[in-house]
Amino acid sequence: MARLLPLLVIAVWIFIWYRNRKGASARPRRTATAAAPARLSKEAAALGLLPQDRQDTKRLLHDPQIDGAREAAERGAWEPAAEAMTAIGKDWERRTALVISLARAAADEDAWLTAWEAARPGDPGAAAVRARSTVFLAWQLRGARTADRTSAEQFEGFHRVLLRAREDIARAIELSPEDPSPHVSDLWAGLGLGYPHAYVHELWAEIADRAPHHYEAHYSALQYWCEKWHGSAELARDFADKAASGAPAGTLLPALRLVAHFEHLDRPFNGKHYRTPEAMAMVDALLADLPAVRPDHPRLPEARHLLAFFLVKQKRHAEALEQFRLVDGCVGSLPWSYFEDPAEKYCDYRERAVQGAR
């Protein structure tokens, strides 16, 4: 038996490496047609649209509450983060968005989070941030390259930190059983660790009991079910369809169909994939949902970016321009984040809408 142990270790490592080939990158880069020049057209300028060099590729939106807490944390102060967490309370959608934003800051520098934990031992907000930050740290260690360009050392660190993240996640759940955000963090740990389908079904049941129409949770689960990770195009589209079909108005869940469609297109892709009756119906369903969506929904801007992209592909330029005008300035979102130069690609599509709507 002792002689077999090294072989077993090697077999497990090969299995993990193979599984991770499916999830080649957290952000697969798309190749598309050449972009328009970076200059701002006079028509776009007349509409008050911003040039390419003023597009923020790191930010999805400007949210004073969430941005203020993160900026204070980056300066080393944890108290505004704790206050924002208390103010948000059981608004699970915004709480999860705040946890994610703070966790990104903590993955870069966590002295402020350590101070928060020391000042308030057992604070569930701090625990939720710690859990997600450990997941982010693991992905940083792995890097965004494909599996064949990721070293064994990177994979070892990636899996080791993800296993540590599971301990942080369990503690966060224990401190705040109602909060779905630690479970959402567990979904992202599962992408890297290759959770079996049965476990993810159980995890999803836990999330649905707490927040059945939670957009961030649905988006995270959809990534798991995508072909590039641990599912298939059929499983991803089925998940998106079920979520959107059973959702009340204003949840943004119809956007999941657009995400699933976009994630499973052949590359390079062309407009015909967006002009099918099915794709047109997806766009119309999301447009119909928007009036009921709360204005401070943290993922509303991403839904508008997706709509703008799809609408340009469908040559519905006036409708696309309406969406572009509502999100201009922050382009850290699907679909632009999947391209090598998000701001350039965004401005290219925006200019198509500007010219097409004339």
Side-chain angles (χ1 to χ4, degrees):
M1 183 64 184
R3 293 180 179 178
L4 291 176
L5 284 177
L7 295 176
L8 289 172
V9 170
I10 292 170
V12 169
W13 174 253
I14 292 172
F15 174 74
I16 290 172
W17 177 83
Y18 175 76
R19 290 292 299 270
N20 274 279
R21 288 181 63 87
K22 295 179 71 178
S25 169
R27 287 178 179 265
R29 297 296 182 181
R30 306 272 177 153
T31 302
T33 55
R39 58 185 171 79
L40 187 69
S41 71
K42 64 177 189 244
E43 293 86 0
L47 292 170
L49 299 173
L50 299 173
Q52 180 179 320
D53 61 3
R54 292 184 60 191
Q55 301 297 332
D56 188 337
T57 60
K58 303 297 184 184
R59 193 187 301 266
L60 175 59
L61 77 163
H62 293 291
D63 187 304
Q65 185 180 48
I66 294 174
D67 291 349
R70 176 172 178 167
E71 289 163 6
E74 290 171 339
R75 295 192 301 269
W78 60 267
E79 292 87 351
E83 291 167 5
M85 202 73 71
T86 299
I88 286 175
K90 295 182 180 180
D91 183 342
W92 301 131
E93 200 76 65
R94 288 188 60 76
R95 183 180 176 90
T96 304
L98 176 61
V99 165
I100 291 170
S101 182
L102 293 172
R104 289 189 189 281
D108 293 331
E109 171 53 63
D110 71 345
W112 62 272
L113 179 55
T114 301
W116 182 3
E117 293 167 325
R120 297 184 183 177
D123 187 310
V129 173
R130 175 62 71 188
R132 189 58 180 264
S133 72
T134 309
V135 174
F136 280 135
L137 179 60
W139 286 101
Q140 287 179 2
L141 290 172
R142 183 200 184 279
R145 292 189 171 190
T146 54
D148 59 347
R149 299 175 66 191
T150 302
S151 70
E153 291 78 9
Q154 286 174 297
F155 270 127
E156 189 280 328
F158 176 53
H159 291 105
R160 172 171 44 80
V161 176
L162 281 181
L163 290 172
R164 192 178 84 206
R166 297 202 68 192
E167 298 175 7
D168 292 337
I169 289 165
R171 182 171 183 271
I173 292 171
E174 182 181 358
L175 290 172
S176 184
E178 295 178 282
D179 185 0
S181 66
H183 297 277
V184 177
S185 299
D186 202 14
L187 285 169
W188 287 97
L191 258 67
L193 293 172
Y195 289 171
H197 289 189
Y199 179 87
V200 173
H201 285 305
E202 292 176 7
L203 176 56
W204 186 250
E206 295 289 335
I207 293 171
D209 283 346
R210 290 161 174 79
H213 306 299
H214 193 295
Y215 182 86
E216 185 67 41
H218 279 83
Y219 174 84
S220 302
L222 177 59
Q223 290 298 312
Y224 174 90
W225 292 115
C226 282
E227 184 177 14
K228 66 182 180 181
W229 288 111
H230 306 294
S232 65
E234 182 180 5
L235 286 171
R237 287 169 176 151
D238 284 350
F239 178 82
D241 279 337
K242 289 176 183 176
S245 299
T251 61
L252 278 185
L253 292 183
L256 296 174
R257 291 187 176 119
L258 275 65
V259 176
H261 187 75
F262 178 77
E263 289 281 10
H264 293 94
L265 290 175
D266 293 332
R267 290 174 284 179
F269 50 86
N270 58 49
K272 72 178 183 180
H273 298 298
Y274 298 87
R275 293 194 289 271
T276 65
E278 180 186 22
M280 299 287 280
M282 292 178 194
V283 168
D284 289 339
L286 181 53
L287 284 169
D289 192 55
L290 291 189
V293 178
R294 52 190 286 188
D296 66 345
H297 193 298
R299 296 300 287 269
L300 175 57
E302 183 164 81
R304 294 193 184 283
H305 279 289
L306 279 165
L307 276 172
F309 179 81
F310 273 70
L311 287 165
V312 168
K313 288 289 192 182
Q314 293 173 359
K315 301 187 183 301
R316 298 161 67 175
H317 296 116
E319 292 172 276
L321 183 56
E322 181 182 353
Q323 301 302 322
F324 279 120
R325 296 182 71 174
L326 290 167
V327 296
D328 200 50
C330 293
V331 299
S333 166
L334 282 175
W336 324 116
S337 57
Y338 274 25
F339 292 98
E340 291 293 344
D341 189 331
E344 182 182 60
K345 188 58 59 178
Y346 167 83
C347 289
D348 170 30
Y349 274 75
R350 187 190 64 186
E351 187 62 24
R352 296 189 204 183
V354 169
Q355 299 303 323
R358 294 174 61 193

